[in-house]
């Protein structure tokens, strides 16, 4: 489970708008806004979808068990993400990345 503050911070880190997050997560934009503004907490399915989408975009959620408390960080630094993007754009055979 993530908090509205973590959602807002993760969105800022991965540089995605509420509109795009809503579209990719299939959660209404108003629900995301109310969650981030601590007006209302959406159901567990909506939160899970938001979290999964933000993680796919490169956010890593830090659990409460750590000494520093909850938080969010980027999976890759900007330079690592840029190198990965460049490698992925080089062409070649397109295939599923899952290893059996």
């Amino acid at each position: 489970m993530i908090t509205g503050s973590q959602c807002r911070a993760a969105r800022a880190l991965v540089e995605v708008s509420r509109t795009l997050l809503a579209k990719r997560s299939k959660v209404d934009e108003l629900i995301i806004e109310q969650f981030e503004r601590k007006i209302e907490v959406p159901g567990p399915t909506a939160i899970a979808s938001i979290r999964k989408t933000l993680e796919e975009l490169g956010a890593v959620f830090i659990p409460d068990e750590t000494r520093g408390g909850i938080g969010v960080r980027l999976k890759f630094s900007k330079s690592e993400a840029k190198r990965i993007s460049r490698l992925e754009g080089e062409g070649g055979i397109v295939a599923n990345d899952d290893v059996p």
Side-chain angles (χ1 to χ4, degrees):
M1 185 91 151
I2 62 169
T3 66
S5 297
Q6 282 179 299
C7 178
R8 187 175 58 249
R11 223 175 26 79
L13 284 171
V14 299
E15 299 176 1
V16 66
S17 67
R18 271 192 201 122
T19 303
L20 185 57
L21 177 59
K23 191 178 293 184
R24 290 189 67 158
S25 67
K26 296 180 177 42
V27 174
D28 188 84
E29 186 175 349
L30 181 60
I31 291 173
I32 295 171
E33 180 182 356
Q34 290 176 339
F35 180 46
E36 290 181 349
R37 294 179 65 203
K38 301 177 185 176
I39 296 171
E40 195 169 320
V41 177
T45 304
I47 292 175
S49 181
I50 292 168
R51 180 181 181 144
K52 180 178 183 258
T53 302
L54 289 168
E55 287 174 338
E56 288 171 353
L57 292 168
V60 175
F61 292 95
I62 301 166
D64 198 15
E65 294 87 42
T66 61
R67 286 193 328 162
I70 65 168
V72 64
R73 66 177 181 83
L74 286 174
K75 184 175 185 178
F76 300 107
S77 69
K78 287 199 184 264
S79 66
E80 288 171 324
K82 195 173 189 178
R83 283 193 308 244
I84 291 168
S85 176
R86 189 177 14 236
L87 289 172
E88 287 179 343
E90 285 186 348
I93 299 171
V94 177
N96 189 343
D97 289 343
D98 292 338
V99 177

